[in-house]
Amino acid sequence: MKPVVFEREVACRSSPTELWPRFADTERLNRHIGSSALDVTARDDAGVARFVITTRIGPTKVTYFEEPYAWQYASYFSFRRRMEGGPIAMISVRYDLEPRDDNTTLVKARFEATPRFSFAWPVIWFLTRQNIENLVRFVRETDRAAIENADVRLSRSSCDRPTLRRVLDTLEESHDELLVEELATFIERAPDLEVARIRPYELADRWNKPRRDVLKLFLDAVRIGALSLEWAILCPSCHTGSQTLPSLADLNADGHCHACDLRFGLDLDRAVEAVFRPQARIRPVDTRPFCVGGPMLTPHVVAQTPLPAGETAELVAPAQPGRYRIFARGGATTVVDVEPQGRASAEVRLTDVGLEPPHLSLSPGAMLRVVGDGEPRHVKLERRDWSFPAATAYQVSLLPEFRDHFGTEALRPKLALSVGRVAILFGDLCNSTALYSRVGDPTAFGVVTDSLRFGSEIVERHRGLVVKTMGDAIMAAFEDPGDAMEAASAMLEQWEAFTSEQPLASKLDLKLGIAAGTCMVMSANRTLDYFGQTVNTAARCQHLAGARELVVSSELWSDHAPSRLNEIESFSTSVKGIDTPLDLVRATPMARVRTNNGDSNEE
């Protein structure tokens, strides 16, 4: 049947690279032109379409199969939708961004809708024309926004401003007033698109504020009922939230991205992200998406295309040199180095064992052919070294505010999730047993408690978390090993001043050990705890330390040696429970030296 076709051209003043991140933001585009929200259902058969979408076009409810978008960065994007029932059988849309000699852009848009019934042709023509006019307005406004570095106007739901202000005012005593005002203004005035899924680090960067301060404010805003906290499961390929859960207790050992058909382990420092939104009583927001596959939903993907079974697709290598990878739905990958000396064209094939060859070197702009197998899927070319400002579950869990106010947020029993790198500090008080004998339990207990509080406060000042105290010992975790080393340095350096104010504490002394590496996180006593070889190594290092000494690996010392600590010994030793000998450094404050018999004295 004859399709309804509309083509339009819009001359823009901005360049394709300036226009792309705004125009290819299809979530924003669809909201702006008046499209309806989508109800999304996963599709489990082997077809190229991974989702079934139900929405409205004008007054009519429609359902369609959502095929993966095709695009090439700053060049074009397109999509095709096969409708299930209704007056339209197929919709195809393509946008081209053609560069012009004066560094401006000609945007070409082509809409094609195939009627299912001949009598529907006039209605489809009217709706398509209306959609095109809305699109042209969006392109022009987006071009203006790109030139002026402004935002395109979007709709926003109403906010109960008096309640919001009354609730947030309670935070001004414990947080920067200007930061609280930034949050209040954002919740009140930001478009629905931005408040439906708030990333605190993203806002911190926009506001030019410390990420940790903004995250603390968000957690307190949850505590007082201004915001809601949820946990998004991030796919390691598309980096989008494949699932959102209300609690850490709902996590499993692995996750699954339906779009990428990829199953992956849940690392707390990479695969689980904290996201926020306003409480419904303050500002109700429809969290349903308006697009599930546009280019800017996955900004690290420079090219993507559907690949029908047994056919060939073409991708173009980006102009910017670097390391990329080809990803085929299901998990097959090929590493691609884009470099001047690379090949001008290449071919990769999907086989029973994945993509072949496993590695390619291509020149910028090279043509890459991908030959499919017997299964329809999509393929994409994505940046390898790409990150976005996500507040991971690991980072959130290291905040004392999280542990203090969200104590019930723990993993389900017996579930252990990994963290790629964490620094563990163990501290022990020497001679505490003798102190208990000398002054009695009540007095000694008070001295030990004050001493542990001294160490805990230093840990928190250096962005660490006290995981637990064990009698006269302390265990702390740090995201940055450098922070752990500085905290240890501060403890050793300030111990003398502390004991001068607490005379009985002078009968005690500190022994510290630090190790960094992979850890497993589990729930113990209904809170998060750390386990594994890194924890064992830190404990062994602390055991090897003498009074007012720190023992760490040679590698940690080389990378993060504090200026106020002095290396007094480098040694290698075997310890119980660890197969290979440890290369270690023993350090003490600059104001202390070691005598020939190994004791430490003040200079």
Side-chain angles (χ1 to χ4, degrees):
M1 188 171 295
K2 178 184 177 183
V4 175
V5 178
F6 280 92
E7 294 181 341
R8 288 294 181 89
E9 295 183 354
V10 183
C12 298
R13 295 175 295 164
S14 51
S15 68
T17 55
E18 293 170 331
L19 195 60
W20 177 261
R22 298 170 181 269
F23 180 46
D25 187 347
T26 48
E27 176 80 15
R28 190 176 296 269
L29 185 158
N30 290 344
R31 288 174 181 265
H32 187 274
I33 65 176
S35 298
S36 298
L38 311 179
D39 292 308
V40 183
T41 303
R43 186 167 181 250
D44 292 323
D45 64 20
V48 68
R50 299 299 290 163
F51 301 100
V52 178
I53 307 294
T54 301
T55 186
R56 289 187 177 274
I57 298 179
T60 306
K61 184 177 181 180
V62 298
T63 299
Y64 60 85
F65 297 101
E66 175 80 351
E67 296 185 2
Y69 276 59
W71 71 81
Q72 186 72 43
Y73 172 77
S75 178
Y76 83 92
F77 66 93
S78 65
F79 60 86
R80 186 179 66 171
R81 291 168 179 165
R82 180 162 51 88
M83 314 303 288
E84 188 178 62
I88 304 175
M90 185 78 71
I91 294 176
S92 298
V93 179
R94 178 176 173 118
Y95 304 103
D96 286 278
L97 282 65
E98 294 189 357
R100 301 197 292 187
D101 293 339
D102 56 353
N103 203 33
T104 60
T105 306
L106 182 66
V107 175
K108 293 183 176 181
R110 188 178 194 278
F111 286 68
E112 180 176 318
T114 304
R116 194 181 304 275
F117 314 108
S118 58
F119 64 80
W121 202 97
V123 175
I124 295 172
W125 182 91
F126 175 78
L127 291 175
T128 304
R129 180 183 178 187
Q130 186 179 46
N131 213 35
I132 274 279
E133 295 306 321
N134 291 337
L135 183 280
V136 168
R137 284 194 294 271
F138 176 78
V139 173
R140 288 173 176 160
E141 188 169 345
T142 299
D143 181 45
R144 175 196 58 77
I147 293 296
E148 299 175 1
N149 194 27
D151 291 325
V152 173
R153 293 186 298 273
L154 293 174
S155 63
R156 66 171 184 257
S157 56
S158 61
C159 176
D160 184 347
R161 186 177 186 276
T163 300
L164 171 65
R165 294 289 175 164
R166 184 176 65 254
V167 170
L168 289 184
D169 281 349
T170 64
L171 298 180
E172 291 187 351
E173 292 185 3
S174 54
H175 295 273
D176 178 8
E177 290 185 15
L178 293 178
L179 188 56
V180 175
E181 177 61 28
E182 289 270 22
L183 177 59
T185 301
F186 177 79
I187 294 174
E188 181 183 346
R189 300 180 184 177
D192 287 356
L193 168 64
E194 296 185 12
V195 298
R197 186 183 180 123
I198 309 172
R199 284 174 159 157
Y201 285 178
E202 196 172 77
L203 280 186
D205 294 348
R206 185 190 306 181
W207 295 340
N208 196 28
K209 299 290 185 179
R211 290 182 173 182
R212 191 178 178 89
D213 290 352
V214 173
L215 182 54
K216 287 181 178 181
L217 174 62
F218 271 58
L219 290 176
D220 270 353
V222 174
R223 178 178 56 82
I224 63 172
L227 296 175
S228 294
L229 167 63
E230 295 178 320
W231 304 96
I233 310 303
L234 299 178
C235 170
S237 175
C238 65
H239 298 294
T240 58
S242 60
Q243 188 180 9
T244 302
L245 302 172
S247 170
L248 291 177
D250 297 313
L251 293 176
N252 293 310
D254 55 13
H256 178 256
C257 177
H258 193 78
C260 299
D261 193 16
L262 188 65
R263 193 163 293 279
F264 50 92
L266 291 189
D267 298 332
L268 286 180
D269 55 340
R270 288 179 293 184
V272 185
E273 175 192 14
V275 293
F276 300 80
R277 57 181 169 81
Q279 284 273 10
R281 69 189 180 95
I282 289 176
R283 181 175 170 183
V285 179
D286 189 348
T287 59
R288 291 178 298 171
F290 283 68
C291 180
V292 296
M296 293 312 296
L297 293 175
T298 54
H300 64 295
V301 177
V302 297
Q304 177 175 292
T305 185
L307 180 61
E311 296 190 19
T312 299
E314 292 185 344
L315 302 171
V316 178
Q320 183 179 3
R323 173 151 286 192
Y324 300 80
R325 75 170 182 178
I326 305 167
F327 177 95
R329 193 187 82 193
T333 61
T334 286
V335 175
V336 177
D337 287 318
V338 176
E339 48 197 358
Q341 65 271 27
R343 298 165 58 183
S345 64
E347 182 177 281
V348 296
R349 289 181 172 272
L350 274 161
T351 69
D352 293 340
V353 296
L355 281 169
E356 295 290 342
H359 181 268
L360 285 172
S361 174
L362 299 177
S363 61
M367 182 62 67
L368 178 63
R369 290 167 50 87
V370 184
V371 181
D373 57 3
E375 180 182 343
R377 63 184 84 210
H378 67 275
V379 293
K380 55 189 176 182
L381 184 61
E382 55 190 16
R383 294 183 180 93
R384 285 288 302 273
D385 300 323
W386 184 86
S387 62
F388 60 94
T392 65
Y394 166 54
Q395 292 167 330
V396 174
S397 70
L398 285 179
L399 288 178
E401 291 81 359
F402 178 78
R403 182 157 301 212
D404 291 343
H405 302 305
F406 300 85
T408 58
E409 277 284 5
L411 303 177
R412 60 182 174 83
K414 298 183 181 180
L415 175 64
L417 300 181
S418 68
V419 171
R421 186 166 177 80
V422 60
I424 299 294
L425 179 149
F426 274 97
D428 184 49
L429 294 172
C430 308
N431 306 319
S432 62
T433 301
L435 182 66
Y436 276 94
S437 299
R438 184 178 302 116
V439 302
D441 289 353
T443 301
F445 179 78
V447 174
V448 169
T449 299
D450 289 343
S451 300
L452 293 178
R453 185 182 301 114
F454 158 81
S456 299
E457 290 174 352
I458 289 176
V459 166
E460 293 185 8
R461 284 202 300 271
H462 288 80
R463 295 169 292 279
L465 173 75
V466 175
V467 178
K468 57 188 173 184
T469 57
M470 302 152 287
D472 57 1
I474 188 174
M475 173 184 173
F478 298 79
E479 180 183 0
D480 185 346
D483 288 338
M485 296 287 284
E486 290 296 332
S489 176
M491 287 184 203
L492 295 176
E493 185 182 37
Q494 296 171 28
W495 179 254
E496 183 178 358
F498 169 73
T499 56
S500 67
E501 297 176 359
Q502 300 275 351
L504 287 176
S506 63
K507 305 300 182 182
L508 305 175
D509 224 321
L510 283 176
K511 298 170 57 177
L512 303 177
I514 299 175
T518 301
C519 272
M520 300 303 296
V521 178
M522 296 180 66
S523 289
N525 299 319
R526 303 187 68 180
T527 190
L528 297 181
D529 202 351
Y530 293 80
F531 300 89
Q533 197 72 308
T534 298
V535 176
N536 296 337
T537 302
R540 299 300 182 195
C541 287
Q542 177 265 308
H543 182 72
L544 291 168
R548 218 175 311 177
E549 289 181 350
L550 167 69
V551 173
V552 298
S553 71
S554 299
E555 181 182 2
L556 266 182
W557 181 260
S558 175
D559 293 340
H560 303 286
S563 59
R564 299 186 304 278
L565 290 187
N566 182 49
E567 177 183 340
I568 57 175
E569 183 184 6
S570 178
F571 63 103
S572 181
T573 186
S574 297
V575 298
K576 183 180 178 181
I578 299 175
D579 294 336
T580 58
L582 300 178
D583 295 323
L584 303 172
V585 167
R586 188 186 308 276
T588 195
M590 286 291 187
R592 294 172 63 86
V593 297
R594 291 178 63 83
T595 62
N596 290 335
N597 64 7
D599 296 328
S600 296
N601 292 323
E602 303 294 336
E603 285 184 339

